[in-house]
């Protein structure tokens, strides 16, 4: 059946102009499925959805509690799957979300984005609008035990469609970072070592660049300290850095290595004894996590300002509980003070 | 002693240019004290410091717990007094802060502020910088009992100095608003009635205008609901609205009427029985309070981005504890659902 015929059959109002990127992709998936020869949009969407299932399964196994799964549609195009485990045995809150967005960039957004992506449009011919596609997986896990670290991960792909329907500009972004309340050097080393190995297998310059980028991005400026002990962060990984196929391979490796790495850290920490005072310190650190996410995180700000955004999916990153004590200062030379020291002066872990 | 002589005696490095606004004000206070003939800067500073003492005394009496008092200096000019009561008998957290800032507006800030204040400078002669003064009192009280409402108040005065040392542009801003977790109509009515009476005594147009302004300002846009049941909010109250003397009288009346009004509400609610589930709802509402303050509140954003700002004084507004439950929905027709209904559709209370 032609796209137009399909549209007339299932959708209204009927629009008789050319099919949108979303419509064309729906048709391709239906008729041909998704394989290595498919557009990167469909491959990335398929990959992050598979990974979401795998990670959810691994976290469920670690906790013994099932996730709640919500599938949602975005009126403006696309949708997502949000999986949340709340108040479990091991995890206070774990959110694993996939979102797929089809939309249109207005001219001012195109002009702004061209600062980093010259190939969005040629200098002398900036279109009035451009269709775009974005797909990504976001994850955040806040464990109950204060000895077990919070983790965050996000990998995403962005692409524009040329007016003729072909793929235009594209880039990958993402990373993963660890936020302990109590610092175990061996955990920080393991977490970074794993990321370095994944990076090194693709490009020896990645780890040092992306580690630094992470330290700079996840910085609670008003507190003068990092959110956590870092990891990697990158954005705008486009053809000026590497080709699409190799970059996708890197993102795949990075995402696939996450769950085994993090869960092995969790298994070491989840049953450690702790005091009420240590739990309180965790709650205070949670407060600073909230501050970063609500005050400084560009992704959260962008999401909350996007019309039709699913707010509960964006704010699944917030911990179940947090605490703000006025002028709280850890005791000198305590474990709490050492953490703050490291957050003020990020370390090289590998 | 001349100002220069004084400076040479107590300060270094010695600067031999004209004395700053802060230096001139210090000298005036020292030599003449502050009375009704003093510059408004000094009268407002004296007034908010007196009110801070009164309010702190009233809240201490209601709680039975003393406040911690921190006096601080701002390296760039000015300073403040921050009073916080934490984990008391009645209040989870109460912060009452005064700040006094002497600073310099750079040209871009002057140009931006001229949008609302034409008299900052004349069209054909915008100076490269302008000295300014700002003084205000900010207050936030989060009670323990979920039946007792959170309250916020802020009154402030802003003034620029002309290059010749005389007072330039000036304006007052402020207001007060109530945020219950459980809505008692009689409390909302009492709170608003008190504000309306204070407003009406000065200008019958104030209450309806400032009530609406409050509903619009304290709006958690991403949630589609107000932060609380409102009160009054105003900014830029300058000579286009009323004269300096009358506006100060209005601000004085508004600030002085606050403590008796709020504490009579607290006394009705502080010992009411409540369930664990009701406490949890309060914690969820606290989470939304944090969201407003960190995502939308201009004062907080401005403070956190001001070099040399005292972060702990700005963030004393955050509750001691807060909670974020994914997709939490109150039961239909419950008291919790009724609150949300009112937050989505602000009411006229008087």
């Amino acid at each position: 059946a032609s796209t137009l015929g399909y549209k007339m059959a299932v959708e209204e109002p009927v629009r008789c102009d050319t099919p949108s990127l979303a419509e064309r992709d729906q048709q391709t998936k239906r008729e041909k499925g998704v394989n290595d020869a498919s557009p990167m949009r469909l491959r990335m969407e398929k990959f992050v959805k598979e990974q979401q299932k795998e990670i959810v399964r691994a976290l469920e196994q670690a906790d013994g509690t099932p996730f709640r799964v919500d599938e949602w549609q975005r009126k403006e195009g696309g949708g997502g799957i949000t999986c949340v485990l709340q108040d479990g045995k091991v995890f206070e809150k774990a959110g694993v979300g996939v979102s797929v967005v089809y939309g249109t960039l207005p001219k001012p957004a195109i002009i702004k984005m061209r600062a980093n992506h010259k190939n969005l449009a040629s200098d002398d011919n900036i279109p009035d609008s451009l269709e775009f596609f974005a797909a990504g997986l976001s994850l955040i896990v806040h464990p109950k035990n204060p000895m077990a670290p919070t983790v965050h991960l996000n990998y995403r792909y962005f692409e524009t469609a040329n007016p003729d329907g072909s793929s235009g500009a594209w880039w990958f972004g993402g990373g993963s970072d660890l936020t302990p309340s109590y610092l175990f050097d061996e955990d920080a080393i393991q977490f970074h070592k794993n990321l370095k190995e994944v990076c090194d297998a693709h490009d020896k310059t990645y780890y040092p660049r992306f580690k630094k980028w992470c330290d700079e991005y996840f910085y609670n400026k008003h507190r003068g300290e990092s959110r956590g002990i870092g990891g990697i962060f990158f954005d705008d990984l486009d053809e000026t850095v590497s080709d699409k196929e190799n970059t996708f391979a890197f993102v795949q490796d990075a995402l696939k290595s996450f769950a085994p790495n993090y869960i092995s850290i969790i298994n070491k920490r989840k049953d450690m004894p702790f005091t009420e005072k240590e739990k309180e310190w965790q709650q205070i650190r949670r407060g600073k996590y909230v501050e970063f996410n609500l005050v400084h995180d560009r992704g959260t700000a962008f999401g909350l300002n996007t019309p039709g955004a699913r707010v509960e999916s964006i704010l699944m990153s917030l911990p179940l509980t947090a605490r703000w004590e006025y002028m709280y200062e850890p005791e000198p030379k305590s474990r709490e003070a050492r953490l703050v020291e490291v957050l003020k002066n990020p370390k090289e872990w590998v």
Side-chain angles (χ1 to χ4, degrees), chain A residues 237-251:
Chain A
L237 234 59
D238 60 14
E239 77 289 341
T240 64
V241 183
S242 181
D243 65 52
K244 206 187 268 189
E245 214 51 58
N246 277 315
T247 310
F248 184 45
F250 164 57
V251 164

PDB file of all heavy atoms in Angstrom, chain A residues 237-251:
ATOM      1  N   LEU A 237      29.623  14.036  18.324  1.00  0.00           N
ATOM      2  CA  LEU A 237      30.551  13.121  17.661  1.00  0.00           C
ATOM      3  C   LEU A 237      30.029  12.876  16.249  1.00  0.00           C
ATOM      4  O   LEU A 237      29.148  12.041  16.029  1.00  0.00           O
ATOM      5  CB  LEU A 237      30.612  11.796  18.443  1.00  0.00           C
ATOM      6  CG  LEU A 237      32.005  11.336  18.863  1.00  0.00           C
ATOM      7  CD1 LEU A 237      32.657  12.378  19.740  1.00  0.00           C
ATOM      8  CD2 LEU A 237      31.957  10.007  19.580  1.00  0.00           C
ATOM      9  N   ASP A 238      30.590  13.620  15.295  1.00  0.00           N
ATOM     10  CA  ASP A 238      30.102  13.546  13.923  1.00  0.00           C
ATOM     11  C   ASP A 238      31.228  13.159  12.962  1.00  0.00           C
ATOM     12  O   ASP A 238      32.287  12.690  13.406  1.00  0.00           O
ATOM     13  CB  ASP A 238      29.433  14.865  13.518  1.00  0.00           C
ATOM     14  CG  ASP A 238      30.388  16.043  13.594  1.00  0.00           C
ATOM     15  OD1 ASP A 238      31.627  15.820  13.704  1.00  0.00           O
ATOM     16  OD2 ASP A 238      29.919  17.194  13.548  1.00  0.00           O
ATOM     17  N   GLU A 239      31.027  13.384  11.664  1.00  0.00           N
ATOM     18  CA  GLU A 239      32.002  12.922  10.671  1.00  0.00           C
ATOM     19  C   GLU A 239      33.331  13.659  10.769  1.00  0.00           C
ATOM     20  O   GLU A 239      34.306  13.224  10.176  1.00  0.00           O
ATOM     21  CB  GLU A 239      31.413  13.003   9.255  1.00  0.00           C
ATOM     22  CG  GLU A 239      31.370  14.396   8.628  1.00  0.00           C
ATOM     23  CD  GLU A 239      30.343  15.305   9.285  1.00  0.00           C
ATOM     24  OE1 GLU A 239      29.423  14.781   9.970  1.00  0.00           O
ATOM     25  OE2 GLU A 239      30.448  16.532   9.145  1.00  0.00           O
ATOM     26  N   THR A 240      33.388  14.747  11.524  1.00  0.00           N
ATOM     27  CA  THR A 240      34.686  15.405  11.712  1.00  0.00           C
ATOM     28  C   THR A 240      35.546  14.609  12.697  1.00  0.00           C
ATOM     29  O   THR A 240      36.744  14.836  12.806  1.00  0.00           O
ATOM     30  CB  THR A 240      34.545  16.855  12.255  1.00  0.00           C
ATOM     31  OG1 THR A 240      33.960  16.793  13.563  1.00  0.00           O
ATOM     32  CG2 THR A 240      33.672  17.708  11.352  1.00  0.00           C
ATOM     33  N   VAL A 241      34.923  13.691  13.440  1.00  0.00           N
ATOM     34  CA  VAL A 241      35.662  12.884  14.423  1.00  0.00           C
ATOM     35  C   VAL A 241      35.894  11.468  13.883  1.00  0.00           C
ATOM     36  O   VAL A 241      37.010  10.952  13.939  1.00  0.00           O
ATOM     37  CB  VAL A 241      34.900  12.815  15.764  1.00  0.00           C
ATOM     38  CG1 VAL A 241      35.693  12.043  16.807  1.00  0.00           C
ATOM     39  CG2 VAL A 241      34.555  14.208  16.267  1.00  0.00           C
ATOM     40  N   SER A 242      34.834  10.846  13.416  1.00  0.00           N
ATOM     41  CA  SER A 242      34.963   9.495  12.883  1.00  0.00           C
ATOM     42  C   SER A 242      33.746   9.237  11.995  1.00  0.00           C
ATOM     43  O   SER A 242      32.823  10.050  11.946  1.00  0.00           O
ATOM     44  CB  SER A 242      35.019   8.492  14.041  1.00  0.00           C
ATOM     45  OG  SER A 242      35.179   7.171  13.541  1.00  0.00           O
ATOM     46  N   ASP A 243      33.721   8.099  11.297  1.00  0.00           N
ATOM     47  CA  ASP A 243      32.552   7.883  10.444  1.00  0.00           C
ATOM     48  C   ASP A 243      31.387   7.324  11.265  1.00  0.00           C
ATOM     49  O   ASP A 243      31.534   6.908  12.410  1.00  0.00           O
ATOM     50  CB  ASP A 243      32.893   7.006   9.234  1.00  0.00           C
ATOM     51  CG  ASP A 243      33.275   5.604   9.639  1.00  0.00           C
ATOM     52  OD1 ASP A 243      32.513   4.947  10.402  1.00  0.00           O
ATOM     53  OD2 ASP A 243      34.360   5.152   9.239  1.00  0.00           O
ATOM     54  N   LYS A 244      30.221   7.310  10.675  1.00  0.00           N
ATOM     55  CA  LYS A 244      28.997   6.949  11.364  1.00  0.00           C
ATOM     56  C   LYS A 244      29.050   5.510  11.892  1.00  0.00           C
ATOM     57  O   LYS A 244      28.654   5.231  13.026  1.00  0.00           O
ATOM     58  CB  LYS A 244      27.813   7.110  10.390  1.00  0.00           C
ATOM     59  CG  LYS A 244      26.478   7.367  11.054  1.00  0.00           C
ATOM     60  CD  LYS A 244      25.340   7.341  10.041  1.00  0.00           C
ATOM     61  CE  LYS A 244      25.043   8.718   9.483  1.00  0.00           C
ATOM     62  NZ  LYS A 244      23.787   8.720   8.668  1.00  0.00           N
ATOM     63  N   GLU A 245      29.548   4.630  11.063  1.00  0.00           N
ATOM     64  CA  GLU A 245      29.586   3.205  11.413  1.00  0.00           C
ATOM     65  C   GLU A 245      30.487   2.951  12.618  1.00  0.00           C
ATOM     66  O   GLU A 245      30.118   2.251  13.562  1.00  0.00           O
ATOM     67  CB  GLU A 245      30.088   2.423  10.197  1.00  0.00           C
ATOM     68  CG  GLU A 245      29.502   1.049  10.018  1.00  0.00           C
ATOM     69  CD  GLU A 245      27.983   1.027  10.074  1.00  0.00           C
ATOM     70  OE1 GLU A 245      27.292   1.716   9.278  1.00  0.00           O
ATOM     71  OE2 GLU A 245      27.465   0.301  10.954  1.00  0.00           O
ATOM     72  N   ASN A 246      31.661   3.552  12.592  1.00  0.00           N
ATOM     73  CA  ASN A 246      32.602   3.364  13.711  1.00  0.00           C
ATOM     74  C   ASN A 246      32.104   4.013  14.988  1.00  0.00           C
ATOM     75  O   ASN A 246      32.320   3.498  16.090  1.00  0.00           O
ATOM     76  CB  ASN A 246      33.979   3.924  13.338  1.00  0.00           C
ATOM     77  CG  ASN A 246      34.780   2.923  12.537  1.00  0.00           C
ATOM     78  OD1 ASN A 246      34.841   1.734  12.880  1.00  0.00           O
ATOM     79  ND2 ASN A 246      35.382   3.380  11.439  1.00  0.00           N
ATOM     80  N   THR A 247      31.457   5.155  14.856  1.00  0.00           N
ATOM     81  CA  THR A 247      30.957   5.846  16.048  1.00  0.00           C
ATOM     82  C   THR A 247      29.821   5.041  16.672  1.00  0.00           C
ATOM     83  O   THR A 247      29.749   4.894  17.898  1.00  0.00           O
ATOM     84  CB  THR A 247      30.498   7.281  15.682  1.00  0.00           C
ATOM     85  OG1 THR A 247      31.543   7.900  14.936  1.00  0.00           O
ATOM     86  CG2 THR A 247      30.227   8.085  16.930  1.00  0.00           C
ATOM     87  N   PHE A 248      28.970   4.495  15.833  1.00  0.00           N
ATOM     88  CA  PHE A 248      27.888   3.638  16.344  1.00  0.00           C
ATOM     89  C   PHE A 248      28.473   2.417  17.060  1.00  0.00           C
ATOM     90  O   PHE A 248      27.999   2.028  18.133  1.00  0.00           O
ATOM     91  CB  PHE A 248      26.981   3.216  15.180  1.00  0.00           C
ATOM     92  CG  PHE A 248      25.769   2.409  15.599  1.00  0.00           C
ATOM     93  CD1 PHE A 248      24.985   2.781  16.693  1.00  0.00           C
ATOM     94  CD2 PHE A 248      25.394   1.275  14.874  1.00  0.00           C
ATOM     95  CE1 PHE A 248      23.856   2.032  17.056  1.00  0.00           C
ATOM     96  CE2 PHE A 248      24.270   0.526  15.231  1.00  0.00           C
ATOM     97  CZ  PHE A 248      23.507   0.904  16.330  1.00  0.00           C
ATOM     98  N   ALA A 249      29.512   1.854  16.484  1.00  0.00           N
ATOM     99  CA  ALA A 249      30.155   0.687  17.110  1.00  0.00           C
ATOM    100  C   ALA A 249      30.700   1.053  18.500  1.00  0.00           C
ATOM    101  O   ALA A 249      30.576   0.283  19.464  1.00  0.00           O
ATOM    102  CB  ALA A 249      31.277   0.162  16.220  1.00  0.00           C
ATOM    103  N   PHE A 250      31.280   2.252  18.614  1.00  0.00           N
ATOM    104  CA  PHE A 250      31.792   2.723  19.908  1.00  0.00           C
ATOM    105  C   PHE A 250      30.654   2.892  20.917  1.00  0.00           C
ATOM    106  O   PHE A 250      30.734   2.415  22.059  1.00  0.00           O
ATOM    107  CB  PHE A 250      32.545   4.047  19.692  1.00  0.00           C
ATOM    108  CG  PHE A 250      32.798   4.817  20.952  1.00  0.00           C
ATOM    109  CD1 PHE A 250      33.504   4.251  22.021  1.00  0.00           C
ATOM    110  CD2 PHE A 250      32.328   6.125  21.101  1.00  0.00           C
ATOM    111  CE1 PHE A 250      33.727   4.981  23.200  1.00  0.00           C
ATOM    112  CE2 PHE A 250      32.554   6.841  22.267  1.00  0.00           C
ATOM    113  CZ  PHE A 250      33.246   6.272  23.314  1.00  0.00           C
ATOM    114  N   VAL A 251      29.584   3.538  20.479  1.00  0.00           N
ATOM    115  CA  VAL A 251      28.439   3.750  21.367  1.00  0.00           C
ATOM    116  C   VAL A 251      27.849   2.397  21.798  1.00  0.00           C
ATOM    117  O   VAL A 251      27.490   2.206  22.974  1.00  0.00           O
ATOM    118  CB  VAL A 251      27.371   4.641  20.666  1.00  0.00           C
ATOM    119  CG1 VAL A 251      26.020   4.557  21.367  1.00  0.00           C
ATOM    120  CG2 VAL A 251      27.859   6.084  20.611  1.00  0.00           C
TER     121      VAL A 251
END
